[in-house]
Amino acid sequence: MPTPHIALDTRTERKRTPARSRLAYTPEVAEETRELYNRVSKVITPMEWPAIAPYVKAINDLKKEHNAVILAHNYMTPDIFHCVADIVGDSLQLAKEAASTDADVIVQCGVHFMAETSKLLNPDKTVLIPDQRAGCSLAESITAEDVRALREAYPGVPIVTYVNTSAAVKSECDICCTSSNAVQVVESFGVDRVLLIPDEYLAKYVATQTDVEILSWKGHCEVHERFTADELQAYREAEPGLRIIAHPECPPDVLAEADFTGSTNGMIKWVETHKPQKVLMVTECSMSDNVAVDAPDTEFVRPCNLCPHMKRITLPKILESLENMRDEVHVEEAVAMKAREAVERMINLPV
Ligand code: 13P
Ligand code: SF4
Protein backbone atom coordinates (compact mmCIF):
# COMPACT_ATOMS: atom_id res chain seq x y z
CA MET A 1 0.00 0.00 0.00
CA PRO A 2 1.36 3.46 -0.86
CA THR A 3 1.77 5.87 2.05
CA PRO A 4 -0.80 8.67 2.68
CA HIS A 5 0.11 11.88 0.91
CA ILE A 6 -1.72 14.86 2.31
CA ALA A 7 -0.93 16.33 5.73
CA LEU A 8 -0.61 13.94 8.63
CA ASP A 9 -0.47 16.84 11.04
CA THR A 10 -4.07 18.04 10.79
CA ARG A 11 -4.05 20.30 13.85
CA THR A 12 -1.23 22.38 12.37
CA GLU A 13 -2.80 22.32 8.91
CA ARG A 14 -5.93 23.99 10.24
CA LYS A 15 -3.91 26.79 11.81
CA ARG A 16 -1.74 27.39 8.75
CA THR A 17 -4.02 26.59 5.81
CA PRO A 18 -3.40 29.06 2.97
CA ALA A 19 -5.97 31.00 0.87
CA ARG A 20 -8.74 28.51 0.02
CA SER A 21 -9.94 30.51 -2.99
CA ARG A 22 -7.05 29.29 -5.10
CA LEU A 23 -7.51 25.67 -4.17
CA ALA A 24 -10.54 24.45 -6.09
CA TYR A 25 -10.20 21.46 -8.41
CA THR A 26 -11.43 23.27 -11.51
CA PRO A 27 -11.36 21.84 -15.07
CA GLU A 28 -8.35 24.14 -15.71
CA VAL A 29 -6.47 22.70 -12.74
CA ALA A 30 -7.32 19.18 -13.86
CA GLU A 31 -6.06 19.93 -17.38
CA GLU A 32 -2.87 21.67 -16.24
CA THR A 33 -1.94 18.86 -13.84
CA ARG A 34 -2.99 15.93 -16.05
CA GLU A 35 0.53 14.96 -17.12
CA LEU A 36 1.77 15.10 -13.54
CA TYR A 37 -1.07 12.84 -12.45
CA ASN A 38 -0.29 10.36 -15.20
CA ARG A 39 3.23 10.20 -13.80
CA VAL A 40 2.18 9.41 -10.22
CA SER A 41 -1.01 7.44 -10.90
CA LYS A 42 0.65 4.22 -9.71
CA VAL A 43 1.06 5.61 -6.18
CA ILE A 44 -1.65 8.29 -5.82
CA THR A 45 -5.28 7.22 -6.30
CA PRO A 46 -7.75 9.14 -8.54
CA MET A 47 -9.76 9.86 -5.37
CA GLU A 48 -6.81 11.60 -3.73
CA TRP A 49 -5.82 13.70 -6.76
CA PRO A 50 -8.57 16.41 -6.61
CA ALA A 51 -7.33 17.32 -3.12
CA ILE A 52 -3.69 17.34 -4.22
CA ALA A 53 -3.81 18.94 -7.70
CA PRO A 54 -4.85 22.50 -6.64
CA TYR A 55 -1.89 22.63 -4.24
CA VAL A 56 0.45 21.36 -6.94
CA LYS A 57 -0.68 24.03 -9.39
CA ALA A 58 -0.61 26.86 -6.81
CA ILE A 59 2.89 25.89 -5.65
CA ASN A 60 4.26 25.59 -9.18
CA ASP A 61 2.79 29.01 -10.07
CA LEU A 62 4.25 30.64 -6.95
CA LYS A 63 7.70 29.17 -7.62
CA LYS A 64 7.80 31.04 -10.93
CA GLU A 65 6.59 34.28 -9.31
CA HIS A 66 9.32 34.18 -6.66
CA ASN A 67 12.13 32.63 -8.76
CA ALA A 68 12.12 29.85 -6.19
CA VAL A 69 13.45 26.34 -6.40
CA ILE A 70 12.26 23.35 -4.39
CA LEU A 71 14.94 20.93 -3.18
CA ALA A 72 13.33 17.70 -2.01
CA HIS A 73 14.90 14.77 -0.22
CA ASN A 74 14.20 11.22 -1.43
CA TYR A 75 11.97 10.67 1.66
CA MET A 76 9.36 13.26 0.63
CA THR A 77 5.95 11.86 -0.33
CA PRO A 78 5.38 11.37 -4.11
CA ASP A 79 3.10 14.42 -4.43
CA ILE A 80 6.07 16.57 -3.37
CA PHE A 81 8.82 14.46 -4.90
CA HIS A 82 7.28 14.05 -8.37
CA CYS A 83 4.91 17.01 -8.68
CA VAL A 84 6.49 20.16 -7.20
CA ALA A 85 10.20 19.43 -6.61
CA ASP A 86 12.77 20.88 -9.01
CA ILE A 87 15.69 18.91 -7.64
CA VAL A 88 15.50 15.64 -5.75
CA GLY A 89 18.22 13.56 -4.18
CA ASP A 90 20.13 12.34 -1.14
CA SER A 91 21.87 14.67 1.32
CA LEU A 92 25.03 14.93 -0.77
CA GLN A 93 23.26 15.68 -4.00
CA LEU A 94 20.99 18.27 -2.36
CA ALA A 95 24.02 20.00 -0.80
CA LYS A 96 25.76 20.11 -4.18
CA GLU A 97 22.66 21.41 -5.94
CA ALA A 98 22.10 24.01 -3.23
CA ALA A 99 25.63 25.27 -3.88
CA SER A 100 24.98 25.82 -7.58
CA THR A 101 21.42 27.15 -7.82
CA ASP A 102 20.79 30.63 -9.20
CA ALA A 103 17.26 30.88 -7.78
CA ASP A 104 16.54 33.72 -5.33
CA VAL A 105 14.61 31.49 -2.94
CA ILE A 106 15.27 27.88 -1.89
CA VAL A 107 12.42 25.92 -0.32
CA GLN A 108 13.95 22.94 1.46
CA CYS A 109 11.62 19.98 1.56
CA GLY A 110 13.48 17.85 4.01
CA VAL A 111 14.61 18.28 7.59
CA HIS A 112 16.13 21.26 9.35
CA PHE A 113 19.79 20.28 9.05
CA MET A 114 19.33 20.10 5.26
CA ALA A 115 17.89 23.62 5.19
CA GLU A 116 20.78 24.86 7.33
CA THR A 117 23.25 23.30 4.88
CA SER A 118 21.53 25.11 2.00
CA LYS A 119 21.73 28.39 3.95
CA LEU A 120 25.43 27.84 4.72
CA LEU A 121 26.11 27.48 1.01
CA ASN A 122 23.81 30.37 0.02
CA PRO A 123 24.19 33.02 2.72
CA ASP A 124 22.67 35.73 0.51
CA LYS A 125 19.61 33.76 -0.63
CA THR A 126 16.31 33.27 1.16
CA VAL A 127 16.14 29.68 2.42
CA LEU A 128 12.75 28.51 3.63
CA ILE A 129 11.67 25.37 5.46
CA PRO A 130 7.91 24.68 5.45
CA ASP A 131 8.03 23.46 9.07
CA GLN A 132 10.83 24.50 11.43
CA ARG A 133 10.06 21.54 13.66
CA ALA A 134 11.29 19.00 11.08
CA GLY A 135 14.22 17.75 13.15
CA CYS A 136 16.29 14.56 13.20
CA SER A 137 17.15 12.16 16.03
CA LEU A 138 20.78 12.03 14.86
CA ALA A 139 21.13 15.81 14.82
CA GLU A 140 19.64 15.91 18.31
CA SER A 141 22.06 13.29 19.67
CA ILE A 142 25.08 15.60 19.86
CA THR A 143 25.94 19.21 20.70
CA ALA A 144 28.82 21.52 19.81
CA GLU A 145 30.00 21.17 23.41
CA ASP A 146 30.14 17.37 23.02
CA VAL A 147 32.36 17.80 19.96
CA ARG A 148 34.70 20.14 21.85
CA ALA A 149 34.96 17.51 24.60
CA LEU A 150 35.81 14.84 22.01
CA ARG A 151 38.48 17.12 20.52
CA GLU A 152 40.07 17.38 23.97
CA ALA A 153 39.78 13.66 24.68
CA TYR A 154 41.31 12.68 21.30
CA PRO A 155 43.88 15.36 20.49
CA GLY A 156 45.05 15.27 16.87
CA VAL A 157 42.35 12.81 15.72
CA PRO A 158 40.40 14.31 12.78
CA ILE A 159 36.68 14.75 13.39
CA VAL A 160 34.29 13.88 10.56
CA THR A 161 30.70 14.93 11.13
CA TYR A 162 27.75 13.37 9.37
CA VAL A 163 25.66 16.09 7.68
CA ASN A 164 22.75 15.02 9.89
CA THR A 165 23.90 17.52 12.55
CA SER A 166 23.29 21.16 13.46
CA ALA A 167 25.43 23.93 11.96
CA ALA A 168 26.91 24.46 15.44
CA VAL A 169 28.15 20.85 15.51
CA LYS A 170 29.49 21.13 11.95
CA SER A 171 31.39 24.27 12.95
CA GLU A 172 33.45 22.24 15.47
CA CYS A 173 34.53 19.52 13.03
CA ASP A 174 37.17 19.17 10.32
CA ILE A 175 34.95 18.01 7.49
CA CYS A 176 31.41 16.73 6.88
CA CYS A 177 30.35 13.54 5.18
CA THR A 178 27.13 11.94 4.00
CA SER A 179 26.20 8.28 3.77
CA SER A 180 27.34 8.23 0.14
CA ASN A 181 30.88 9.54 0.67
CA ALA A 182 31.72 8.61 4.30
CA VAL A 183 34.42 6.05 3.39
CA GLN A 184 36.09 8.42 0.95
CA VAL A 185 36.01 11.25 3.54
CA VAL A 186 37.55 9.25 6.40
CA GLU A 187 40.30 7.99 4.06
CA SER A 188 41.00 11.52 2.76
CA PHE A 189 43.11 12.34 5.85
CA GLY A 190 45.64 9.52 5.24
CA VAL A 191 45.76 8.76 8.99
CA ASP A 192 45.13 5.58 11.03
CA ARG A 193 42.33 6.87 13.27
CA VAL A 194 39.33 9.13 12.67
CA LEU A 195 36.29 10.15 14.71
CA LEU A 196 33.09 9.73 12.68
CA ILE A 197 30.14 11.19 14.59
CA PRO A 198 27.31 11.01 15.63
CA ASP A 199 25.81 7.89 13.96
CA GLU A 200 27.13 4.77 15.65
CA TYR A 201 25.77 2.43 12.97
CA LEU A 202 27.06 4.42 10.01
CA ALA A 203 30.46 4.45 11.76
CA LYS A 204 30.33 0.69 12.25
CA TYR A 205 29.43 0.19 8.60
CA VAL A 206 32.27 2.46 7.42
CA ALA A 207 34.68 0.51 9.66
CA THR A 208 33.87 -2.62 7.61
CA GLN A 209 34.83 -0.80 4.39
CA THR A 210 38.19 0.70 5.37
CA ASP A 211 41.42 -0.01 7.29
CA VAL A 212 41.12 3.32 9.12
CA GLU A 213 40.17 2.85 12.79
CA ILE A 214 36.78 4.54 13.33
CA LEU A 215 35.76 6.01 16.69
CA SER A 216 32.17 7.11 17.07
CA TRP A 217 29.28 8.37 19.19
CA LYS A 218 26.03 6.80 20.33
CA GLY A 219 23.61 8.59 18.01
CA HIS A 220 20.99 6.59 16.10
CA CYS A 221 18.37 7.28 13.47
CA GLU A 222 15.02 6.56 15.07
CA VAL A 223 13.67 5.23 11.75
CA HIS A 224 16.48 2.88 10.73
CA GLU A 225 17.17 1.53 14.21
CA ARG A 226 13.65 0.06 14.26
CA PHE A 227 14.41 -2.54 11.57
CA THR A 228 15.48 -5.96 12.85
CA ALA A 229 17.35 -8.88 11.32
CA ASP A 230 14.51 -11.25 12.38
CA GLU A 231 11.99 -9.18 10.47
CA LEU A 232 14.12 -9.25 7.31
CA GLN A 233 14.62 -13.02 7.60
CA ALA A 234 10.85 -13.45 7.89
CA TYR A 235 10.33 -11.37 4.73
CA ARG A 236 12.92 -13.47 2.86
CA GLU A 237 11.13 -16.66 3.85
CA ALA A 238 7.71 -15.29 2.89
CA GLU A 239 8.84 -13.71 -0.39
CA PRO A 240 10.97 -16.05 -2.52
CA GLY A 241 13.44 -14.19 -4.77
CA LEU A 242 13.30 -11.05 -2.59
CA ARG A 243 16.32 -8.70 -2.82
CA ILE A 244 17.03 -6.60 0.27
CA ILE A 245 18.85 -3.28 0.10
CA ALA A 246 19.57 -1.18 3.18
CA HIS A 247 20.70 2.25 4.35
CA PRO A 248 23.91 2.34 6.44
CA GLU A 249 22.06 3.98 9.35
CA CYS A 250 20.64 0.48 10.09
CA PRO A 251 22.14 -1.68 12.87
CA PRO A 252 24.96 -4.06 11.79
CA ASP A 253 22.87 -7.27 12.10
CA VAL A 254 20.28 -5.70 9.76
CA LEU A 255 22.98 -4.76 7.22
CA ALA A 256 24.29 -8.34 7.41
CA GLU A 257 20.94 -9.46 5.92
CA ALA A 258 21.15 -7.03 2.99
CA ASP A 259 22.28 -7.72 -0.59
CA PHE A 260 23.44 -4.11 -0.90
CA THR A 261 24.09 -1.19 1.46
CA GLY A 262 24.09 2.42 0.27
CA SER A 263 22.82 5.97 0.62
CA THR A 264 19.28 6.72 -0.55
CA ASN A 265 20.64 7.67 -4.01
CA GLY A 266 22.79 4.53 -3.99
CA MET A 267 19.71 2.42 -3.30
CA ILE A 268 17.74 4.10 -6.09
CA LYS A 269 20.59 3.51 -8.56
CA TRP A 270 20.79 -0.13 -7.43
CA VAL A 271 17.11 -0.67 -8.32
CA GLU A 272 17.57 1.12 -11.67
CA THR A 273 20.59 -1.03 -12.52
CA HIS A 274 19.52 -4.44 -11.18
CA LYS A 275 15.80 -4.17 -12.00
CA PRO A 276 14.87 -6.71 -9.30
CA GLN A 277 11.54 -8.50 -9.55
CA LYS A 278 10.91 -7.97 -5.85
CA VAL A 279 12.79 -5.62 -3.55
CA LEU A 280 12.63 -4.47 0.05
CA MET A 281 14.24 -1.06 0.64
CA VAL A 282 15.26 -0.98 4.28
CA THR A 283 14.78 2.74 4.77
CA GLU A 284 12.07 5.38 5.11
CA CYS A 285 8.80 4.23 3.59
CA SER A 286 8.05 6.99 1.06
CA MET A 287 11.16 6.16 -0.92
CA SER A 288 9.59 2.96 -2.24
CA ASP A 289 6.62 4.99 -3.57
CA ASN A 290 8.96 7.44 -5.29
CA VAL A 291 11.07 4.75 -6.89
CA ALA A 292 8.02 2.63 -7.85
CA VAL A 293 6.88 5.43 -10.18
CA ASP A 294 9.84 4.69 -12.49
CA ALA A 295 10.11 0.94 -11.86
CA PRO A 296 6.86 -0.55 -13.17
CA ASP A 297 8.23 -4.11 -13.32
CA THR A 298 9.46 -4.21 -9.73
CA GLU A 299 7.31 -5.22 -6.78
CA PHE A 300 8.13 -3.29 -3.61
CA VAL A 301 7.76 -5.16 -0.33
CA ARG A 302 7.48 -2.62 2.47
CA PRO A 303 7.67 -2.64 6.22
CA CYS A 304 6.51 0.98 6.44
CA ASN A 305 8.74 2.97 8.81
CA LEU A 306 7.99 6.67 8.39
CA CYS A 307 10.26 9.49 9.54
CA PRO A 308 7.97 11.76 11.60
CA HIS A 309 10.25 14.72 10.91
CA MET A 310 10.31 14.35 7.13
CA LYS A 311 6.54 13.83 7.20
CA ARG A 312 6.01 17.28 8.71
CA ILE A 313 6.63 18.66 5.22
CA THR A 314 3.36 18.67 3.29
CA LEU A 315 1.91 20.43 0.24
CA PRO A 316 -0.24 22.84 2.32
CA LYS A 317 2.81 23.85 4.34
CA ILE A 318 4.94 24.31 1.20
CA LEU A 319 2.27 26.59 -0.26
CA GLU A 320 2.00 28.56 2.95
CA SER A 321 5.78 28.84 3.04
CA LEU A 322 5.94 30.32 -0.47
CA GLU A 323 2.97 32.62 0.09
CA ASN A 324 4.36 34.13 3.27
CA MET A 325 8.12 33.55 2.79
CA ARG A 326 8.38 31.54 5.99
CA ASP A 327 9.96 29.95 7.92
CA GLU A 328 13.23 31.53 6.96
CA VAL A 329 16.37 29.70 8.04
CA HIS A 330 19.19 31.74 9.60
CA VAL A 331 22.59 30.64 10.86
CA GLU A 332 24.62 32.92 13.09
CA GLU A 333 27.59 34.20 11.04
CA ALA A 334 30.38 33.11 13.43
CA VAL A 335 29.01 29.54 13.38
CA ALA A 336 28.19 29.68 9.67
CA MET A 337 31.74 30.60 8.65
CA LYS A 338 33.28 27.48 10.21
CA ALA A 339 30.39 25.15 9.37
CA ARG A 340 30.50 26.29 5.71
CA GLU A 341 34.19 25.38 5.51
CA ALA A 342 33.42 21.85 6.76
CA VAL A 343 30.64 21.37 4.17
CA GLU A 344 32.70 22.90 1.35
CA ARG A 345 35.69 20.68 2.15
CA MET A 346 33.39 17.70 1.63
CA ILE A 347 31.86 19.04 -1.60
CA ASN A 348 35.32 19.89 -3.00
CA LEU A 349 36.82 16.44 -2.40
CA PRO A 350 37.85 14.94 -5.75
CA VAL A 351 35.16 12.44 -6.79
P1 13P B 1 20.87 10.10 2.57
O1 13P B 1 21.98 11.10 2.52
O2 13P B 1 21.32 8.72 2.25
O3 13P B 1 19.73 10.54 1.71
O4 13P B 1 20.35 10.00 4.07
C1 13P B 1 19.72 11.05 4.73
C2 13P B 1 18.90 10.59 5.85
O5 13P B 1 18.38 11.36 6.62
C3 13P B 1 18.72 9.17 5.98
O6 13P B 1 17.95 8.88 7.07
FE1 SF4 C 1 16.98 11.81 10.83
FE2 SF4 C 1 16.43 9.25 10.52
FE3 SF4 C 1 14.60 11.04 9.86
FE4 SF4 C 1 16.84 10.73 8.36
S1 SF4 C 1 15.21 9.26 8.66
S2 SF4 C 1 15.93 12.67 9.05
S3 SF4 C 1 18.34 10.26 9.95
S4 SF4 C 1 15.41 10.68 11.93
Side-chain angles (χ1 to χ4, degrees), residues 199 201-202 224-225 227 246-255 282-283:
D199 186 352
Y201 297 146
L202 174 71
H224 291 92
E225 73 175 349
F227 292 103
H247 194 276
E249 289 170 11
C250 294
D253 59 336
V254 168
L255 296 185
V282 190
T283 192

Side-chain angles (χ1 to χ4, degrees), residues 75 111 113 135-138 164 221-224 249 284 307 309-310:
Y75 292 164
V111 290
F113 74 80
C136 169
S137 63
L138 279 169
N164 296 39
C221 161
E222 67 188 81
V223 178
H224 291 92
E249 289 170 11
E284 213 268 355
C307 171
H309 312 290
M310 291 278 183

